[in-house]
Amino acid sequence: MVGLGIAGMSAAIGLRRAGWTPVIVERAPERRTGGYFVGLFPEGRQAAVDLGIADHLHTRNPQRAARANSWSVDRRGRRRPALGFLDQPGEPAAVLRGDIEAALWQNITGVEVRFGTTPVTITEGPAEVQVLLEKADTGAQYRESFDMVVGADGMRSSVRRIVFGPDEDYLTTWNAMICAFQLKEQVPSYEASDSIIIARAKRAMWVFGLADHAPTALLTYRTTDIQEQFSGSRVQRLRSVYSGMDDPVVRHVLDSLEEAPDHLFDSVHQVRMPRWSKGRVVLVGDAAWCMNLYSGMGATSSLRGGAALGVALLEHPDDLAAALDTWETGLRPFITKHQRTARLKQQMFVPSSRRAEALRSVLLGLIRRIRGRRPVTEAGGPRTRALSGTSR
Ligand SMILES: Cc1cc2nc3c(=O)[nH]c(=O)nc-3n(C[C@H](O)[C@H](O)[C@H](O)COP(=O)(O)OP(=O)(O)OC[C@H]3O[C@@H](n4cnc5c(N)ncnc54)[C@H](O)[C@@H]3O)c2cc1C
């Protein structure tokens, strides 16, 4: 197993249930925590139940407020109640990526994890896969044989590059960038758990409010010169992208970026592969099908994909090829559907033009009016809860 993210740990739990003995190698020197806002949809919540992690999964949905939870800010700086990410059908659970990983981590006790380790070569033999592994700290290399290799090492997967071919063969370019990080504190004059959306043509800024945690911010913009975005200072780059948007929200978020201990800055892609396995090597999660953040289904599909892999292996204990076939056949329609809808959702995150911006605004306003005012939850406790339903 390569990668200690959501896909890697989900697959490890699935494999262990199917009677395998997973070994996870992870490039980072230690397990990461925190991360950005993630909305977990019903399929992901079901996979969490299937993997036995639901009771450990801490969710952070803000209590529904009488006034509004989400606001959009228009070009004149006026704030209006809006439909936010959490208002989507399926009532997504609000978590940080690290919340899902923490829950999975609790369930992989006993699984061997080797930090600071990466695969260098992967060579398949008739009955096993030989992997040359490298320790990051010393550069020492050693060979080891496994019955199967699971590449769960993210969008720029090394396993995919080594076994299936270069990134260019599989990564589609979306001419867009993202920057995600945690705010130290909420934008002044907003409630702590409010979400704020500023969606302009080609550039957008989202603040995701959480019940018991500082909000996280997502900056996303469209550009055709991806290479250029990685040159120079990131803060300066983003200040120039958002220049002219003279709004207190924009100012606060950009100032917060300067103080943030870390952030994610990357180009947006989708991974498209005709087949997710080759012999005894299989890819799962972003490595295989990265749908990208606009789909809002990456974490959900990683959980589901890992859990389903375990089930397929359990059902075909003596036939790896049949297990991988069954797994891919069952999962692919779900992945294809969400890869397709991501394009439309991108328009909701960051409209492609002034026209799309106006259309988005009219459409969401209409939906909001049709739905009417969202029912306010009773004066009871906040909607922070474990997936089992018990408050934590
Ligand atoms: C800003 C943002 C917002 C998102 N919002 C949502 C959302 O609302 N809903 C949702 O469902 N999804 C969302 N996603 C997507 C979701 O976070 C990802 O799809 C999911 O985390 C992918 O998990 P993964 O385990 O496949 O890959 P990763 O999280 O990329 O994990 C890969 C792991 O492999 C390790 N690794 C990499 N290379 C090597 C190597 N060579 N050797 C060893 N280890 C290696 C990495 O260190 C990492 O630990 C969002 C993503 C982003 C960026």
Side-chain angles (χ1 to χ4, degrees):
M1 196 90 54
V2 183
L4 189 71
I6 298 173
M9 285 191 273
S10 301
I13 294 172
L15 260 71
R16 201 168 54 174
R17 286 188 175 168
W20 292 63
T21 311
V23 174
I24 303 180
V25 299
E26 165 57 48
R27 180 174 55 190
E30 57 190 22
R31 199 175 77 74
R32 64 188 177 185
T33 55
Y36 41 78
F37 164 94
V38 166
L40 205 53
F41 285 83
E43 298 88 342
R45 297 204 295 274
Q46 182 57 49
V49 171
D50 297 344
L51 289 165
I53 65 157
D55 285 352
H56 300 303
L57 184 55
H58 183 62
T59 61
R60 303 173 188 273
N61 294 60
Q63 184 176 13
R64 283 180 181 164
R67 32 192 261 303
N69 283 111
S70 299
W71 305 90
S72 69
V73 181
D74 70 15
R75 283 180 176 261
R76 287 196 226 159
R78 291 174 306 193
R79 80 169 76 158
R80 291 175 196 281
L83 288 178
F85 189 94
L86 296 175
D87 296 311
Q88 293 184 69
E91 298 199 349
V95 296
L96 298 174
R97 189 196 59 212
D99 293 328
I100 306 176
E101 293 180 349
L104 289 162
W105 178 250
Q106 287 200 42
N107 257 35
I108 61 159
T109 30
V111 171
E112 186 188 347
V113 180
R114 298 181 199 166
F115 288 101
T117 307
T118 54
V120 181
T121 61
I122 300 171
T123 318
E124 197 174 338
E128 57 180 29
V129 197
Q130 209 175 71
V131 186
L132 179 65
L133 292 161
E134 184 172 282
K135 293 280 294 165
D137 51 357
T138 59
Q141 296 189 341
Y142 60 98
R143 274 179 211 286
E144 201 165 327
S145 292
F146 299 93
D147 294 313
M148 172 170 64
V149 170
V150 180
D153 47 348
M155 184 175 80
R156 294 194 174 80
S157 163
S158 297
V159 175
R160 191 184 60 230
R161 206 168 46 247
I162 295 167
V163 177
F164 295 82
D167 285 358
E168 307 82 79
D169 290 357
Y170 304 108
L171 250 62
T172 61
T173 299
W174 279 45
N175 291 333
M177 301 291 297
I178 50 159
C179 178
F181 58 98
Q182 293 185 12
L183 294 182
K184 208 162 106 198
E185 51 198 33
Q186 178 62 285
V187 181
S189 89
Y190 285 86
E191 295 291 322
S193 60
D194 279 354
S195 289
I196 311 163
I197 304 155
I198 305 184
R200 303 268 183 281
K202 296 193 181 348
R203 51 188 181 164
M205 196 171 268
W206 289 63
V207 172
F208 298 104
L210 298 163
D212 56 358
H213 194 279
T216 73
L218 171 70
L219 280 59
T220 178
Y221 61 96
R222 297 182 185 243
T223 172
T224 47
D225 194 353
I226 297 295
Q227 228 27 56
E228 173 64 17
Q229 308 308 308
F230 291 99
S231 66
S233 146
R234 282 181 190 172
V235 174
Q236 286 317 316
R237 165 83 46 200
L238 288 160
R239 283 201 181 282
S240 110
V241 167
Y242 290 88
S243 65
M245 282 170 71
D246 189 28
D247 186 278
V249 177
V250 176
R251 278 200 299 276
H252 178 84
V253 170
L254 290 174
D255 289 347
S256 304
L257 173 61
E258 295 208 29
E259 294 164 23
D262 51 35
H263 64 266
L264 171 80
F265 180 79
D266 207 350
S267 44
V268 180
H269 304 271
Q270 206 168 66
V271 173
R272 297 282 187 123
M273 299 189 76
R275 172 103 189 147
W276 298 325
S277 65
K278 197 185 233 183
R280 293 177 171 271
V281 181
V282 60
L283 301 175
V284 62
D286 278 6
W289 56 71
C290 175
M291 302 170 170
N292 75 42
L293 78 156
Y294 302 130
S295 79
M297 295 298 287
T300 285
S301 63
S302 293
L303 286 163
R304 185 169 168 173
L309 183 61
V311 172
L313 290 167
L314 191 64
E315 285 171 357
H316 301 275
D318 304 316
D319 191 344
L320 182 61
L324 296 179
D325 261 353
T326 308
W327 170 73
E328 182 158 343
T329 307
L331 194 61
R332 199 170 265 280
F334 173 75
I335 301 295
T336 305
K337 177 177 128 193
H338 288 291
Q339 283 192 325
R340 285 191 183 138
T341 52
R343 275 284 179 206
L344 185 63
K345 289 185 174 180
Q346 184 184 21
Q347 292 287 3
M348 294 295 145
F349 267 98
V350 54
S352 55
S353 62
R354 281 292 285 258
R355 221 170 139 193
E357 178 188 326
L359 198 64
R360 174 191 181 281
S361 170
V362 169
L363 194 68
L364 291 181
L366 205 65
I367 296 172
R368 193 169 182 279
R369 270 201 293 283
I370 291 168
R371 278 207 206 167
R373 277 183 76 84
R374 285 170 49 164
V376 181
T377 46
E378 285 163 30
R383 297 178 65 222
T384 308
R385 63 200 196 281
L387 265 188
S388 59
T390 23
S391 288
R392 290 167 59 114

